[in-house]
Amino acid sequence: MCGIAGRLNFDSGHPVAPEAVGRMCDAIAHRGPDDAGVWCDGAIGLGHRRLSIVDLSAAGHQPMSNASGTCWIVFNGEIYNFLELRAELERDGVTFRSRTDTEVIIALYERHGIACLERLRGMFAFALWDVQERKLFLARDRVGVKPLCYHAGRDGIAFASEVKALLQDPAVGREPDPVAIHHYLTYQAVPAPMSAFRGVRKLPPAHYLEVHDGRITLKRYWKLSYAEPFTVKSAADERALEAELMERLEQCVALRMISDVPLGAFLSGGVDSSAVVALMARHSSGPVRTFSIGFDDDSYDELVFARQVAAQFGTRHIEFTVKPSAINVLPQLVRQYDEPFADASAIPTWYVSQLAREHVTVVLNGDGGDESFAGYDRYVANSYAERLRFLAPLLGSSAVRGLLDRLPHGATSASTRWRLKRFVAQLSRSPEARNAAWLAQFDPEAKASLYSSAFRAQTGLRDAEQVLYDQFKASDAPDFLSAVLDADVQSYLPDTLLVKVDIATMAHALEARSPFLDHTLMEFAARIPMNLKLRGGQTKRILKRALRGTVPDAVLDRRKMGFNAPVDRWLKGELRDMANDLLRSNRARARGWFRPEFVNRMLDEHERGTRNWHVQIWNLMMLESWLREFVDQPAPTGVLTR
C-alpha cells in the first residue's frame, strides 16, 4: 500500500522537474513512510511513497521498470493472485528480479496491454508509462478501494493518490466547484468523477485512462451484473449456495493474509467483521490480533459483541473507548480528507486505525458485506414500502402531510419515532425517489430553505438525485431491491465508505484489506436471488445461515447498529460551541452561500431538542472547516517544469 503521483507535459520540450514530483510525494508521505522514489525522463515524471508489505527488500523500490526500461510503473495496492500470475508468467519464460506484485503488473502489461486489468484480482491504482508508445496508462480497481485523482490542463496532466499532492502543482487551483458542493450536501461526500475543486477529477472505479499525443481517453473495463440470478428450487439448492458462499469467502480471507509484516483485523462486533475474524483464525498459526472502538454511550457502543467474538476465537484483543474529547481530532480529519466529508464514522475509524498501527501494519475488515448481501435497514424499508404502496394516495393527502409535520421528530437518529416519520414521509413517492430521499442529508426541500439565490444559481439548478437515478438506469438488475444494491456498489460504497477507510488507515500508514470486496465474491453474490438475502425483515439471510455455527448466534441475531458516533448528543454538549463558532460566524456568512436564518433555525431546534438536525449541522461544519483549510489558504509556489 503506497502513495503515487506524477505529471506528463504534452510538450516534450518541457521536462518535468524531479524536485517538483518529490514535493507531490512529500504531501502524501503518510501513505508510504518506508521508502520514496522519483523517476523523470523528459516530459514524464513518476513519484512513489512506499509502505512495504510484500518483499521488504530494496528490490521493491518504485518507480519500477521492466528489464529493458521500456515500461515504468508506480503502483498503490495489492494484487492477491500475483503468485498465481507470476507462476504462469514464469512458465512463459519471464524472469523476475523481485517478489513483488508490482513487477507482475508490468509483465502482464507487456503481454496483454490494457487487457492486463482483466487478470488482476485485488485493489489497485497505478500509473504506467510506455516508453516506446509514449503513452500514459492510469487505472483503478473494479470497486474503487484505492483512490486516484487527476488534473488535465492544456499543458499536461498531473495525477496522485490524494488531492493534497495535486495541490502542490501551481497549475491546480483551489477554487471550489459549487456543483460538486451541491452534490456533497446531498450525499455527504463528493461523488466521482467530480471533486470539490474545479478542474480536479477522480478516476471512477473500474475505469482506465490513456494519455497519448495530448489526447485523453477514459473507458470502463468492468461492471457488476445482476442479470442472471441463480435458480433455487429447493432447500438443497439453497444449502449448496450457502456452502459455496463459505468456501469463496474463506478463500478471499486466506488470500488477504499474505504479508511479510504483522497483520490483524478490525472487529466491530457485527456480522461481517466477525466472519472475517472467524475465518482468519482458521488460517492463522497464532492468535489473531483484533481491534475495536466503543463509545461512552450505550446506544452507539458495540464492544460487548466484539468481546464475545474475540473470546470465542482467542484473539489478542485491544479496544479503545472514544470520548467527547475526540472532537480534538477534527482539524486532522479535515486536513487528511482533502474534500468536505460528512460521514461522522470517520472519527472512530481514525481512532481504530491509530490503535491498530501501534501493533500491526495490515488489517482485514468487513467492508462490502452490506452492499452484497442487503445489510442496511434502508433495504428493509424499501421492501416494506413496496408492500405498502397501496397506501400512497392516502399518505400523499394534504391532511396526512399536515399531521406528519406536527409529529415530533425524536431526540436522536436512533429514535423509532424519527425513523418512522422518515419512512412514512417518503412512502407515496416512486421507489427511486424514495430511496434517494432516505440517502440524502439535505433533500431538495431543505436545500430550498438553505441556499441563497446566488448559490442556487451557481449550482446550475442541477438535480443532485439524478446521480443516483443514473445508477438505476445503468443497472441490469431484475428487481428494484437488487438495483438498490447495484446503485450502492457504484456510488455510496466507493464515494463514501471506501474513501473513509482509505484516508483514515493510510493517514497512519496502515493497509486495510476487505475480503467482501473481492470482485469474484461480489460477482457470485450479485447472482444470489434477493429473497435469499432479504426476507421477512431479516437482512443478510443467506450469509447469516452460512455463518451459523461459525459466528456466535448473539452476533448473527442482533439488530445492526452501524459504526456511528454520537454526534447528535455531542452537538448539544461538547460540540455546541464549535458548531456555533463555525456556522454563525461572519466568515461563513460572508461566503453568501447559505441563508443565515435557516442555519440558525437548525442550530436552535437541535439544541432545544425539537428537531434532530445533527446530520445536516455536521455536514455544514465539515464544509466550512474544509473551506477554511483548503480554499482560504494561499496556494503553494513553485513550478513543475524547469
Side-chain angles (χ1 to χ4, degrees):
M1 195 73 73
C2 308
I4 66 175
R7 180 176 175 88
L8 172 65
N9 289 330
F10 295 154
D11 183 349
S12 60
H14 286 79
V16 174
E19 59 270 21
V21 178
R23 285 197 300 273
M24 296 175 72
C25 291
D26 289 345
I28 51 173
H30 52 275
R31 298 186 73 92
D34 298 331
D35 190 18
V38 170
W39 172 82
C40 292
D41 181 20
I44 181 68
L46 303 178
H48 189 261
R49 293 294 311 209
R50 185 184 183 196
L51 178 62
S52 303
I53 303 294
V54 175
D55 190 348
L56 310 185
S57 74
H61 177 80
Q62 296 186 46
M64 181 183 289
S65 74
N66 59 357
S68 62
T70 57
C71 286
W72 286 83
I73 191 173
V74 283
F75 163 60
N76 170 30
E78 300 287 348
I79 306 302
Y80 300 117
N81 64 333
F82 84 99
L83 291 175
E84 173 189 336
L85 295 170
R86 178 190 175 109
E88 176 185 313
L89 290 163
E90 286 177 328
R91 287 193 296 270
D92 289 343
V94 178
T95 300
F96 290 93
R97 296 167 291 167
S98 72
R99 295 188 297 108
T100 66
D101 48 0
T102 309
E103 197 175 4
V104 170
I105 297 175
I106 298 176
L108 280 174
Y109 176 79
E110 287 186 280
R111 275 151 184 75
H112 304 291
I114 289 170
C116 70
L117 296 172
E118 300 170 9
R119 306 296 306 282
L120 302 179
R121 182 177 182 180
M123 54 182 181
F124 56 84
F126 65 79
L128 187 148
W129 175 248
D130 188 321
V131 175
Q132 295 175 324
E133 295 289 332
R134 305 295 297 174
K135 179 171 64 177
L136 179 64
F137 173 34
L138 305 178
R140 192 175 176 202
D141 66 69
R142 294 170 179 83
V143 190
V145 181
K146 303 317 300 174
L148 190 58
C149 55
Y150 63 95
H151 171 267
R154 290 181 299 175
D155 299 328
I157 182 169
F159 62 88
S161 295
E162 298 181 17
V163 176
K164 61 176 63 67
L166 285 182
L167 293 178
Q168 304 308 306
D169 184 342
V172 182
R174 290 174 173 245
E175 184 181 358
D177 183 344
V179 175
I181 301 305
H182 172 60
H183 289 304
Y184 157 77
L185 291 165
T186 298
Y187 297 108
Q188 72 183 319
V190 178
M194 294 179 289
S195 88
F197 298 90
R198 286 189 189 271
V200 174
R201 306 288 283 178
K202 300 168 192 164
L203 186 63
H207 281 70
Y208 68 86
L209 185 149
E210 284 187 292
V211 187
H212 188 224
D213 290 336
R215 296 189 302 274
I216 298 175
T217 304
L218 177 68
K219 292 185 179 180
R220 185 172 200 134
Y221 67 89
W222 179 85
K223 174 78 165 65
L224 195 61
S225 176
Y226 295 76
E228 299 180 2
F230 294 117
T231 300
V232 181
K233 296 182 178 180
S234 65
D237 291 340
E238 190 171 345
R239 299 296 86 75
L241 275 181
E242 292 168 10
E244 184 174 354
L245 170 56
M246 280 297 291
E247 181 180 342
R248 286 174 174 269
L249 181 57
E250 185 164 0
Q251 182 196 55
C252 292
V253 170
L255 281 173
R256 283 158 181 77
M257 294 181 69
I258 299 173
S259 173
D260 291 340
V261 295
L263 60 84
F266 288 162
L267 178 58
S268 69
V271 172
D272 304 328
S273 66
S274 299
V276 169
V277 169
L279 296 175
M280 287 179 72
R282 292 184 185 178
H283 292 270
S284 179
S285 57
V288 176
R289 294 174 181 261
T290 53
F291 307 93
S292 299
I293 289 291
F295 295 94
D296 59 351
D297 185 324
D298 290 343
S299 61
Y300 290 87
D301 190 75
E302 299 183 278
L303 287 179
V304 62
F305 297 102
R307 291 169 189 156
Q308 286 184 29
V309 176
Q312 176 160 328
F313 297 103
T315 73
R316 295 173 61 182
H317 187 61
I318 302 173
E319 58 188 38
F320 177 79
T321 298
V322 178
K323 299 185 183 299
S325 60
I327 61 177
N328 295 330
V329 80
L330 292 187
Q332 295 181 65
L333 289 179
V334 172
R335 206 168 298 125
Q336 286 295 334
Y337 277 87
D338 287 344
E339 297 184 297
F341 188 78
D343 185 344
S345 63
I347 297 174
T349 305
W350 176 276
Y351 279 107
V352 75
S353 299
Q354 185 178 66
L355 176 68
R357 189 60 177 93
E358 295 173 2
H359 305 273
V360 300
T361 310
V362 177
V363 289
L364 275 65
N365 61 39
D367 290 347
D370 289 319
E371 289 78 12
S372 282
F373 297 99
Y376 295 128
D377 287 344
R378 176 165 46 88
Y379 303 144
V380 178
N382 270 305
S383 176
Y384 285 153
E386 284 295 282
R387 300 180 193 179
L388 297 174
R389 289 185 71 179
F390 68 94
L391 293 175
L394 172 64
L395 294 170
S397 67
S398 58
V400 172
R401 291 238 176 240
L403 177 62
L404 283 174
D405 288 340
R406 289 191 294 273
L407 285 176
H409 285 260
T412 71
S413 59
S415 154
T416 300
R417 203 166 55 205
W418 186 86
R419 290 170 178 267
L420 179 61
K421 184 167 184 177
R422 272 174 58 91
F423 176 80
V424 175
Q426 302 299 331
L427 198 56
S428 62
R429 305 185 68 187
S430 71
E432 292 80 6
R434 183 177 61 228
N435 181 70
W438 287 334
L439 267 175
Q441 296 205 329
F442 280 95
D443 60 21
E445 182 180 357
K447 286 182 176 181
S449 300
L450 175 69
Y451 288 4
S452 68
S453 57
F455 184 71
R456 179 173 299 280
Q458 291 181 64
T459 68
L461 303 179
R462 287 174 173 82
D463 181 0
E465 288 72 17
Q466 191 61 46
V467 172
L468 193 57
Y469 299 157
D470 288 343
Q471 299 293 351
F472 283 110
K473 291 179 182 177
S475 178
D476 63 1
D479 58 84
F480 175 69
L481 288 177
S482 293
V484 174
L485 267 64
D486 192 3
D488 284 348
V489 167
Q490 305 304 321
S491 53
Y492 178 59
L493 179 66
D495 291 334
T496 303
L497 300 187
L498 299 185
V499 170
K500 173 187 68 180
V501 174
D502 175 79
I503 296 297
T505 54
M506 292 309 294
H508 297 96
L510 179 71
E511 173 170 302
R513 300 177 176 179
S514 309
F516 280 99
L517 294 178
D518 188 293
H519 80 274
T520 66
L521 178 63
M522 295 180 73
E523 288 171 344
F524 172 78
R527 298 188 63 193
I528 297 175
M530 179 54 70
N531 69 332
L532 298 186
K533 300 174 185 177
L534 182 64
R535 184 184 300 178
Q538 182 188 23
T539 59
K540 296 181 181 173
R541 180 178 179 274
I542 189 170
L543 179 62
K544 291 175 180 177
R545 287 172 65 94
L547 291 169
R548 188 75 65 180
T550 298
V551 171
D553 288 349
V555 172
L556 296 176
D557 296 333
R558 76 183 184 93
R559 180 180 174 180
K560 181 179 178 64
M561 183 177 292
F563 197 43
N564 297 312
V567 174
D568 44 8
R569 178 171 62 81
W570 289 352
L571 284 171
K572 296 175 184 177
E574 297 83 357
L575 273 177
R576 180 180 58 189
D577 290 344
M578 179 184 288
N580 282 295
D581 290 344
L582 281 170
L583 303 185
R584 296 188 200 264
S585 68
N586 291 333
R587 194 171 177 181
R589 293 188 179 203
R591 300 189 194 282
W593 285 6
F594 308 131
R595 294 177 177 174
E597 60 273 18
F598 187 70
V599 174
N600 291 338
R601 172 188 159 192
M602 287 191 294
L603 291 166
D604 292 340
E605 289 184 351
H606 188 82
E607 185 175 340
R608 292 196 304 266
T610 56
R611 180 163 182 175
N612 186 345
W613 288 104
H614 85 273
V615 168
Q616 293 79 10
I617 293 171
W618 182 260
N619 185 301
L620 293 180
M621 288 174 64
M622 293 301 97
L623 174 58
E624 176 61 24
S625 298
W626 171 78
L627 287 166
R628 295 184 181 192
E629 176 68 29
F630 284 93
V631 177
D632 297 346
Q633 298 297 320
T637 59
V639 294
L640 282 174
T641 58
R642 292 195 194 98

